Amino acid sequence: MSEISLKINQSRLMSNLRYAFSNKFKVIGELAQNARRAGASYVSFRYFEEQKVLQVKDDGCGVGDFQNLLSVAESGWDENIQRQDTPFGMGFLAALFCCPTVTVKSGGLRSNLVTEDVLAGESVVVEPCIHAPRVGTEVDLEGFDVDSKELSKQIGAYAKGFPIPVFFNGEEIARPCALDGGRTFEKTPIGYVSLVGLHAGVKGDLSSSRRIFYLQGVKVLDERGYYSGSDRADIVHLDPRRFFARIPDRDSLIDPEGAACQVRDALAEVWKKHLEEEFARLSPEEFANTYLRAVEQYAVKMLNDLPFIPASYLEVAESYPLIFQEWEDGTRVLSKPVYREQVESGQVCLASIMNDICLEGEGAFEWMYLFDTKMPVLRRSLPEGHWANKYLVNLDQKEWELEINNEQGEQNFWGKWVYGKIILCESFTLKAPGLEPVTFTAHAMVCAEGFVVPAGEKTGQVVRQACNYRDECDLFCEDDADSDYDKFSAMVANLRNSDPAQMLKSVLDGVARIGDFPALEGKKLLVTISEKGEACIELAA
């Protein structure tokens, strides 16, 4: 039997740790965090471009024991910092790995650390220095060869949510996302939060879907929405006792999905609490005008408590319905809400409908009915238990009846994309159980039998109710649509014309251009139509 145990190749481990930090700019965060933990009131970065030296200063408690700088996994911080921040004890290595030499001055002492010597395990001298600060710490990264503009950009990005002031080359860096950056924050179980529409920006404005997470002042997660600016993003400073960052960079969370889920739940509770307070303070109209989007997102059940249906939930059909027409192209949102007493008294009847206009070429009964009656349509679902749900008229479930009044004739129509029987009539009526019948005198409609055309219809728009005129590439074939439109309207006009010659001319014009047949030029033809509708054509003498 044999035994094994964990062994560490110290020199190789130290050498390979240089690859743990993703880039040399990570030293910015590590030294800034050391300043914060040391109780500093600021941290200052100054770059001497010609000498390639980055100097970092703070006014914290200083380095109590220089050995802690080179003790891996032993941070040397006090118990309170250990409990709050869980420091890894690896941060100073970032300074060693980003440049050849690091000089540390603190508490009247100085140590010059050469990276190669430290990694080789050689001892480093700590000696008195009259230039070393008595308060705070100064770290000089010698041979730190970077682009100064990129360095400024990196420090600026890091400082945005940092809890203490950050300076670069003597200029204070803006910290708009910090707890003292000017925004209002609220304490929650997951940390401090500042929400757009509640603590920042216009009340109730949820136009930004971006959410930025900070841990110990470092951005660890960014849920970007369509708006990229941090001024209109939700800012969350996570509680370091509940959330933890990955080593060594600390710029990403352990289990970010789980953390984001916890945050979303906590923010929903914050919104619910504020919405309940605002609901009690404001009139129902003021509350809905300000917080409707927030209610929809975080407390949808509160819609049940409003004595009206918001105007934005209701639309009326404004234009003649066409197949596969975008709903927004043919409707108008109501300008005023519909109140509960209007619905319960029957003064206003509300419709619900799911089908698209003329779906798959079926009759447009529902849409024609809505177009004529201007009945408000609920286009967004209400929560379960809402008082209006039991009053909704579901037009999709109605059995519709078409009644043709005073039929006046029929004629087959053949267009480029559509065909069917034209049924001329004085008018037609749509009926359905529980609804008032509506009669149309000026607008045609597609039905299973063909095209029902009342006396007042003068256009060919009904062809667009039968076909969307889109090819296999989903391109609208405008010329073909216009051709069928014109041909249909001309045929209807001539069918209503009692002059047989004009009627025949309309039929011929719809088939082809007579001028394309030179053999017919100057000829007189005798046309006889039999009772069966068959044409007999002879050359006239």
Side-chain angles (χ1 to χ4, degrees):
M1 182 178 69
S2 61
E3 294 181 351
I4 61 174
S5 61
L6 179 66
K7 292 186 177 181
I8 298 176
N9 185 323
Q10 180 177 328
S11 61
R12 180 166 294 180
L13 172 64
M14 293 300 297
S15 178
N16 288 340
L17 277 176
R18 72 174 67 242
Y19 305 113
F21 298 94
S22 56
N23 62 66
K24 63 172 58 181
F25 291 112
K26 295 302 178 182
V27 72
I28 297 169
E30 296 300 336
L31 296 182
Q33 288 293 349
N34 284 347
R36 178 185 65 81
R37 290 169 182 153
S41 64
Y42 74 92
V43 58
S44 171
F45 296 86
R46 186 176 293 276
Y47 188 54
F48 302 92
E49 192 165 8
E50 290 186 6
Q51 296 83 1
K52 306 298 180 188
V53 174
L54 178 63
Q55 185 181 82
V56 186
K57 290 183 176 182
D58 67 62
D59 62 349
C61 63
V63 180
D65 184 352
F66 275 67
Q67 179 59 53
N68 289 328
L69 299 176
L70 301 181
S71 297
V72 179
E74 291 183 12
S75 67
W77 296 107
D78 62 32
E79 185 177 338
N80 184 53
I81 293 295
Q82 294 274 5
R83 184 174 59 255
Q84 286 280 345
D85 286 15
T86 59
F88 300 139
M90 295 176 61
F92 192 74
L93 294 178
L96 290 174
F97 291 141
C98 74
C99 61
T101 305
V102 180
T103 300
V104 181
K105 302 174 186 177
S106 183
L109 300 176
R110 171 184 182 275
S111 182
N112 191 54
L113 298 91
V114 179
T115 298
E116 288 187 4
D117 295 344
V118 172
L119 296 181
E122 296 184 13
S123 298
V124 179
V125 175
V126 179
E127 58 186 0
C129 176
I130 60 174
H131 301 294
R134 294 292 176 180
V135 176
T137 302
E138 176 185 322
V139 179
D140 296 331
L141 307 178
E142 302 168 21
F144 189 71
D145 190 4
V146 296
D147 179 75
S148 60
K149 290 184 179 179
E150 182 62 23
L151 177 61
S152 175
K153 177 182 175 182
Q154 293 287 336
I155 293 175
Y158 190 88
K160 281 188 175 181
F162 206 64
I164 62 174
V166 180
F167 294 83
F168 180 61
N169 290 346
E171 297 287 336
E172 185 171 2
I173 304 298
R175 297 179 296 118
C177 300
L179 289 173
D180 60 350
R183 289 182 57 156
T184 300
F185 283 84
E186 180 174 340
K187 187 176 183 180
T188 74
I190 53 93
Y192 288 89
V193 303
S194 179
L195 307 181
V196 173
L198 187 59
H199 306 105
V202 178
K203 287 291 185 182
D205 179 14
L206 271 67
S207 58
S208 172
S209 56
R210 187 180 182 188
R211 189 167 290 157
I212 307 175
F213 298 72
Y214 289 90
L215 182 62
Q216 297 168 1
V218 181
K219 185 169 73 173
V220 289
L221 184 62
D222 191 344
E223 294 183 332
R224 287 186 175 271
Y226 51 82
Y227 182 80
S228 59
S230 61
D231 58 321
R232 283 173 53 192
D234 292 342
I235 305 298
V236 180
H237 283 272
L238 298 169
D239 186 343
R241 295 168 299 182
R242 293 187 56 175
F243 301 91
F244 305 95
R246 293 188 179 278
I247 60 172
D249 291 346
R250 287 183 175 269
D251 58 1
S252 61
L253 288 171
I254 295 174
D255 187 19
E257 293 81 8
C261 185
Q262 289 186 58
V263 170
R264 282 192 290 270
D265 290 345
L267 298 192
E269 290 303 315
V270 171
W271 267 109
K272 287 177 184 178
K273 183 190 75 170
H274 281 274
L275 289 173
E276 289 171 358
E277 294 172 354
E278 291 293 89
F279 186 80
R281 185 179 70 87
L282 301 173
S283 71
E285 290 78 9
E286 290 176 313
F287 177 79
N289 288 338
T290 305
Y291 293 109
L292 182 59
R293 287 196 61 186
V295 168
E296 292 168 347
Q297 187 166 337
Y298 298 108
V300 69
K301 287 286 188 181
M302 294 186 75
L303 288 174
N304 299 0
D305 300 324
L306 293 175
F308 54 80
I309 300 175
S312 60
Y313 278 57
L314 299 167
E315 299 177 352
V316 293
E318 283 281 272
S319 63
Y320 180 78
L322 307 177
I323 189 170
F324 297 126
Q325 178 184 28
E326 293 292 336
W327 170 260
E328 294 81 1
D329 292 342
T331 64
R332 168 180 56 83
V333 177
L334 293 192
S335 59
K336 297 186 296 184
V338 171
Y339 283 81
R340 183 169 186 168
E341 57 265 27
Q342 292 177 288
V343 176
E344 292 181 341
S345 67
Q347 181 183 350
V348 175
C349 184
L350 300 177
S352 69
I353 187 169
M354 296 296 294
N355 291 338
D356 290 334
I357 299 176
C358 302
L359 183 66
E360 297 179 352
E362 296 176 359
F365 296 94
E366 301 95 331
W367 296 102
M368 292 293 286
Y369 189 89
L370 291 172
F371 172 55
D372 183 82
T373 62
K374 299 298 183 282
M375 180 188 294
V377 181
L378 184 70
R379 296 301 290 171
R380 304 170 70 177
S381 54
L382 297 170
E384 183 179 355
H386 194 280
W387 54 264
N389 284 334
K390 61 182 178 179
Y391 296 101
L392 293 177
V393 178
N394 190 332
L395 298 184
D396 297 317
Q397 298 178 357
K398 293 292 184 181
E399 294 186 5
W400 293 91
E401 178 185 350
L402 171 64
E403 183 179 285
I404 299 176
N405 306 316
N406 189 19
E407 185 173 340
Q408 298 169 338
E410 298 178 352
Q411 177 68 49
N412 287 328
F413 171 76
W414 292 85
K416 290 190 174 183
W417 285 56
V418 297
Y419 63 90
K421 184 187 298 182
I422 295 177
I423 305 172
L424 298 180
C425 60
E426 186 66 30
S427 64
F428 65 89
T429 302
L430 293 182
K431 300 178 179 180
L435 296 177
E436 288 292 325
V438 294
T439 297
F440 294 82
T441 60
H443 294 95
M445 187 185 78
V446 170
C447 65
E449 290 76 17
F451 305 95
V452 183
V453 184
E457 177 65 272
K458 307 298 183 184
T459 74
Q461 63 183 346
V462 71
V463 298
R464 293 284 307 282
Q465 200 175 88
C467 177
N468 65 359
Y469 290 90
R470 292 190 176 276
D471 62 16
E472 61 274 9
C473 298
D474 200 32
L475 298 176
F476 178 60
C477 300
E478 184 175 4
D479 290 343
D480 289 349
D482 289 344
S483 174
D484 283 357
Y485 180 103
D486 293 339
K487 182 178 178 180
F488 189 95
S489 57
M491 180 172 284
V492 168
N494 282 284
L495 286 172
R496 294 191 181 280
N497 193 327
S498 59
D499 185 348
Q502 288 296 323
M503 189 178 300
L504 178 59
K505 184 178 184 303
S506 174
V507 172
L508 292 175
D509 288 344
V511 173
R513 293 178 65 252
I514 299 300
D516 293 337
F517 300 88
L520 296 176
E521 186 176 346
K523 299 297 189 296
K524 292 183 178 181
L525 302 173
L526 179 62
V527 180
T528 304
I529 308 298
S530 71
E531 292 181 357
K532 296 181 179 180
E534 297 174 346
C536 177
I537 304 175
E538 299 174 331
L539 188 63

